[in-house]
Amino acid sequence: MSGTTPPPRPVLRLAFAAPLSVVAGLLLVTAYPALAWWPLAFPAVALALLTLIGRRFWSAVLVGFLFGVAFFSVNLLFTARYLGPIPWAALFVLEALLTAVLAVPIALAYRWVPRVVPGVLGRTLALPALVAGLWVLREQIVGSWPYGGFPWGRIGVSQVNGPFAEVASWVGMSGLSFLIVLLCAMAVELVRLRRFRRPLAAVPAAGLLVVLLVLPQFPTAAAGSLRVGAVQGNGPAGYFDQRARDAVLNAQLAASAPLFGQQMDVLLWPEGGVDSDPTANSSTSAVLEELSRRVDAPLLVSAVTERGPDLFNSALLWTADGQSGATYDKRHPVPFGEYVPDRAFWEPFAPDLIGLIGREYTPGTASPLIDIDGVGVGLAICFDVIYDDVVWDGADAGAQVYMFQTNNADFRGTDENLQQLAFAQMRAIETGRAVVNLSTVGTSQVIAPDGSTLDALPIDEAGHMLTDVPLRTGLTPAVVIGPAVKMVLGWGSLAGLLAAGLSLAVRAPRTKKTPTPTGAGV
């Protein structure tokens, strides 16, 4: 019976699996910007899976940890740009530890599923589907825990420049991650079974590949356009930049001057483009009011605002008459960057570094949407863009276009801005809406609903864009069913793994001691 089938032996001895897991992690890095060699995500994932086949608990933890260290240490290297090696090491080691622990369920899937669902279909369909779901679960946990997580380096984002990106409009980034890992896991099993030359065994994998290649982006409805002026001031906006009072504001004003007299519907400034609180500083408010009069359009600016004892990283709409409309406060402030969780616990470990973070930003709760003359504008501030809830909530609330305000000044000379831009491009594809992604120092782009570039500014240069940005209505399936997809793929796969383990426990043969019949054979 299937319950008596022995568990699979490791495909690779640990002496080979350990270094190959490092190779897999480093190979996966190349699929992301700045290199953006998206096809290399496939051999990287396949190799990472091979190192886990047949592994027991501690060896799975080891190869998972080595894979995580290799991938995250390079992918997150930008975090060391200003703060040095300690925050960088703390972050990538934490991500690697989570990756190590969550490699165990994938290893268990390889041990259990072939014994519960025997045969070719079990190996080429059920097993790969469970493995891919558990990979997505790992992405979700890393992206949500602790302190809200850090969903950087999702497999789906690596495909933003490839032919499969449009599928994200149907299933979201988690769904795309699942399908990419599913295809890799299917290919691994076909090779292990030596069935890759038998057409019937390869039908599921071939069918999935065709779907990934030919499924078009879900269409959203055109709803006119919005003429957007966007200004990248290239001021001294970094955390440690030496600056005079209002230096960033003045840099933004100077870069905005060429737009005077131009017709526009809104003038967009980046995160931190105003370095004093215009809701409390009357002179700053007056400057913004005058600018709005000069360009004859409302301004969408960003500043640190104070309400009672709380500080917020805020997006504000400003007109010639002062602030107008709702305020959006950044929903996901960066832990150990914009606030220090459990400060009393962490400060003794690195008092000098923790002491640098004097401000404590409060997470916002407002809807990430602002109305500009009847046009719904979805908002995200900097790393907000990597969190699904902010973008999806904006679309649900009626966003026809997105404006992402960011400040990459603390990461000059790294590829952080390009990786963040990849998220912005994927959000455009996922929601079927244009995105204006604007930074203080770059990279700044206007992205079409299909992810292509409509306009751009070079990095580390002051400049402006004036672009007719298309508007869209209608929700993509990714927005409508995205939360359910994440739940089913992630936690559903964990339930499937537990069911497989329970099935094995029930089927396990019970050894019974059979008594010798009295008098038998006498």
Side-chain angles (χ1 to χ4, degrees):
M1 67 191 300
S2 60
T4 61
T5 304
R9 300 182 64 182
V11 172
L12 300 168
R13 294 175 58 185
L14 186 58
F16 296 106
L20 285 177
S21 66
V22 174
V23 172
L26 295 176
L27 194 62
L28 185 58
V29 171
T30 67
Y32 296 83
L35 293 177
W37 297 342
W38 63 265
L40 293 185
F42 293 86
V45 170
L47 187 56
L49 296 178
L50 277 172
T51 64
L52 289 172
I53 296 174
R55 301 254 83 87
R56 293 185 180 273
F57 181 88
W58 287 112
S59 62
V61 168
L62 176 61
V63 298
F65 180 73
L66 292 174
F67 169 78
V69 166
F71 175 67
F72 287 110
S73 64
V74 181
N75 192 247
L76 300 176
L77 186 59
F78 61 83
T79 59
R81 174 66 176 85
Y82 278 99
L83 294 179
I86 293 178
W88 165 65
L91 180 58
F92 84 70
V93 169
L94 173 62
E95 304 287 76
L97 286 171
L98 292 173
T99 301
V101 171
L102 295 167
V104 174
I106 296 176
L108 290 175
Y110 277 115
R111 293 178 66 84
W112 291 351
V113 173
R115 301 161 67 190
V116 175
V117 189
V120 174
L121 273 182
R123 287 283 297 275
T124 61
L125 190 57
L127 174 59
L130 188 58
V131 165
L134 291 169
W135 188 295
V136 170
L137 177 65
R138 181 167 71 183
E139 287 190 348
Q140 290 181 22
I141 292 176
V142 170
S144 60
W145 187 89
Y147 305 129
F150 193 52
W152 204 263
R154 296 162 74 177
I155 293 296
V157 180
S158 72
Q159 301 303 298
V160 69
N161 297 309
F164 309 139
E166 293 179 339
V167 177
S169 66
W170 296 85
V171 294
M173 272 193 271
S174 289
L176 182 56
S177 290
F178 172 82
L179 295 175
I180 297 301
V181 178
L182 175 61
L183 184 61
C184 295
M186 284 177 162
V188 167
E189 292 309 301
L190 286 172
V191 173
R192 290 180 67 205
L193 290 169
R194 296 178 174 82
R195 297 295 184 96
F196 47 88
R197 293 184 179 179
R198 300 188 183 185
L200 288 179
V203 165
L208 174 58
L209 180 59
V210 170
V211 169
L212 287 170
L213 285 170
V214 305
L215 190 65
Q217 183 181 9
F218 185 86
T220 49
S225 64
L226 190 73
R227 192 163 177 80
V228 179
V231 175
Q232 174 180 298
N234 198 43
Y239 199 86
F240 297 107
D241 287 350
Q242 297 295 318
R243 71 184 80 171
R245 181 179 176 85
D246 290 330
V248 179
L249 173 64
N250 291 331
Q252 287 293 134
L253 289 169
S256 300
L259 288 171
F260 294 169
Q262 299 290 326
Q263 189 276 324
M264 69 190 76
D265 297 309
V266 62
L267 178 61
L268 177 65
W269 277 12
E271 177 191 23
V274 180
D275 39 10
S276 55
D277 182 359
T279 66
N281 188 315
S282 59
S283 62
T284 302
S285 176
V287 168
L288 297 180
E289 291 166 15
E290 176 61 23
L291 178 61
S292 179
R293 278 190 289 270
R294 294 290 299 272
V295 298
D296 193 26
L299 317 175
L300 183 55
V301 299
S302 172
V304 177
T305 61
E306 184 174 356
R307 271 158 268 160
D310 297 326
L311 291 174
F312 299 89
N313 189 346
S314 304
L316 310 158
L317 190 65
W318 222 267
T319 71
D321 298 319
Q323 186 181 7
S324 174
T327 297
Y328 170 70
D329 303 311
K330 187 175 183 179
R331 190 178 290 185
H332 295 278
V334 179
F336 304 102
E338 293 177 308
Y339 76 105
V340 181
D342 301 320
R343 182 183 285 266
F345 175 81
W346 293 111
E347 193 159 23
F349 293 97
D352 292 339
L353 287 173
I354 296 298
L356 289 173
I357 306 168
R359 289 176 169 177
E360 293 279 342
Y361 292 96
T362 300
T365 57
S367 173
L369 184 84
I370 198 163
D371 183 279
I372 299 179
D373 293 331
V375 174
V377 176
L379 303 173
I381 299 176
C382 200
F383 285 154
D384 265 348
V385 72
I386 69 179
Y387 294 91
D388 294 334
D389 64 297
V390 178
V391 177
W392 291 348
D393 286 355
D396 282 332
Q400 297 167 273
V401 63
Y402 286 98
M403 296 186 187
F404 298 157
Q405 298 163 295
T406 187
N407 177 9
N408 304 117
D410 283 324
F411 307 114
R412 290 179 189 263
T414 75
D415 60 1
E416 180 274 341
N417 62 322
L418 297 177
Q419 292 191 50
Q420 188 176 332
L421 177 62
F423 269 97
Q425 290 176 287
M426 188 59 79
R427 294 306 188 188
I429 296 169
E430 183 183 46
T431 63
R433 281 153 173 76
V435 170
V436 184
N437 186 73
L438 183 66
S439 169
T440 49
V441 299
T443 298
S444 299
Q445 286 192 346
V446 180
I447 304 163
D450 63 359
S452 62
T453 299
L454 294 176
D455 207 346
L457 290 171
I459 192 169
D460 292 333
E461 292 183 20
H464 68 273
M465 298 179 286
L466 186 59
T467 316
D468 291 314
V469 181
L471 304 177
R472 293 287 188 272
T473 58
L475 298 180
T476 63
V479 173
V480 175
I481 65 173
V485 168
K486 292 177 68 172
M487 181 70 70
V488 170
L489 293 181
W491 298 108
S493 64
L494 183 60
L497 180 66
L498 294 175
L502 181 61
S503 177
L504 279 179
V506 170
R507 296 184 189 189
R510 297 172 183 171
T511 304
K512 296 181 179 179
K513 188 175 182 180
T514 306
T516 303
T518 55
V522 177

